[in-house]
Amino acid sequence: MNKTWSTNVDEISKEIDLLVYEKAKLFCLREKGATNTLFVKGKTRLNNSDLLVLSHPEKNICPKNQCLFYYHTNGSPVRGFHCTPEKLVNGLLAVHYPKEIFEIQRRKFPRVPVARDSRVSFSLLNRHRFHVGRIEDISLEGARISGEFPVIIEKGAIVTPITLTLIPPYLRQPNETNIHIPEATVIRSIQDEDITKELAIHFILNELQQQEALERYILSQIKREEEKGGK
């Protein structure tokens, strides 16, 4: 799923400058599926080497001494890089500039499969009945859901409210991720007589906490799919 975006030193340096300027957040995918959110604080130099400085919530650096970060900036695909940590002091981590930055894929909002038993509950606009189904895949702005919904749901219908219950991709992650979506629009519908069997919905999350929770889940799923593909 990864594709090299750049190995050019100058281009990578400009990308790091952009992350510093935007005070971007990076998602650190640690061992056993844990995901931390780090914020870019600045850059520095040590022994003629360029270093990126990040906030770091943990007391220790990953044992393999190799960091993997993902990030997403407006108008660009999800990107990521591996880098070597240099020093962790007072909650600040300095890492060496990466030699390569890769893209997850070219689509702005990659769609990924979800862990088994992930489910959705929703209602239709001006309807009181709630429906429960399965989540097949998800992106930052949409989802594909399936089930045996005893109502015809047409393209363009408004779904409100929606709750996505996302099962963690790693067994060592005990907590489900719950995403509450005020409103979504049906962009595709598959029906069989009086039953709707599958829906594709589009939504916009305006709440920052919900955005970040969904981003973390998607990146964990991307990592899991890459690990499966490497076996």
Side-chain angles (χ1 to χ4, degrees):
M1 190 176 287
N2 288 350
K3 181 177 181 179
T4 297
W5 174 70
S6 181
T7 56
N8 180 273
V9 173
D10 292 334
E11 197 165 26
I12 289 174
S13 181
K14 288 180 181 179
E15 182 78 352
I16 296 297
D17 286 344
L18 176 63
L19 295 179
V20 171
Y21 175 78
E22 294 189 351
K23 296 181 173 58
K25 61 177 180 288
L26 305 181
F27 294 102
C28 171
L29 275 61
R30 298 171 66 87
E31 290 188 334
K32 301 177 182 178
T35 305
N36 289 328
T37 302
L38 283 63
F39 290 89
V40 176
K41 293 297 185 181
K43 59 182 183 178
T44 188
R45 286 183 63 83
L46 179 67
N47 298 328
N48 294 321
S49 180
D50 291 316
L51 300 174
L52 178 64
V53 180
L54 312 168
S55 65
H56 196 277
E58 301 291 333
K59 295 182 180 180
N60 299 306
I61 299 174
C62 293
K64 291 185 178 180
N65 208 36
Q66 184 72 213
C67 295
L68 170 60
F69 298 121
Y70 289 101
Y71 64 94
H72 180 235
T73 57
N74 290 333
S76 299
V78 175
R79 290 174 178 159
F81 56 84
H82 292 89
C83 60
T84 304
E86 172 65 32
K87 186 180 294 186
L88 175 62
V89 179
N90 297 328
L92 294 177
L93 174 67
V95 300
H96 291 271
Y97 278 21
K99 295 180 179 179
E100 175 195 13
I101 296 179
F102 56 82
E103 290 184 348
I104 301 303
Q105 59 184 54
R106 289 189 178 276
R107 288 196 306 171
K108 184 178 179 181
F109 298 103
R111 186 176 295 278
V112 298
V114 300
R116 288 185 59 185
D117 300 326
S118 295
R119 58 197 181 274
V120 58
S121 63
F122 66 92
S123 182
L124 299 174
L125 183 64
N126 298 325
R127 303 282 183 90
H128 296 295
R129 181 172 182 173
F130 267 84
H131 304 279
V132 177
R134 298 180 302 275
I135 307 172
E136 302 295 338
D137 55 42
I138 196 166
S139 75
L140 292 177
E141 288 194 339
R144 184 167 60 92
I145 61 181
S146 64
E148 298 285 333
F149 311 123
V151 60
I152 295 299
I153 305 175
E154 301 286 357
K155 178 180 177 180
I158 302 300
V159 184
T160 176
I162 312 107
T163 297
L164 305 178
T165 302
L166 301 166
I167 303 301
Y170 295 90
L171 295 178
R172 292 180 180 272
Q173 284 180 278
N175 297 325
E176 300 172 343
T177 297
N178 292 301
I179 305 297
H180 303 289
I181 304 168
E183 182 177 292
T185 303
V186 175
I187 58 175
R188 190 177 70 254
S189 175
I190 298 176
Q191 303 155 10
D192 183 8
E193 296 183 350
D194 295 330
I195 294 175
T196 299
K197 302 182 73 68
E198 184 174 293
L199 296 172
I201 60 174
H202 176 265
F203 54 81
I204 299 293
L205 285 174
N206 293 318
E207 187 179 336
L208 181 59
Q209 186 176 4
Q210 293 282 278
Q211 291 176 7
E212 292 182 344
L214 184 53
E215 286 177 350
R216 285 193 295 269
Y217 184 86
I218 288 174
L219 292 174
S220 293
Q221 279 297 102
I222 289 172
K223 180 183 179 183
R224 184 172 183 270
E225 291 299 307
E226 290 173 348
E227 290 172 349
K228 287 167 57 179
K231 292 181 180 179

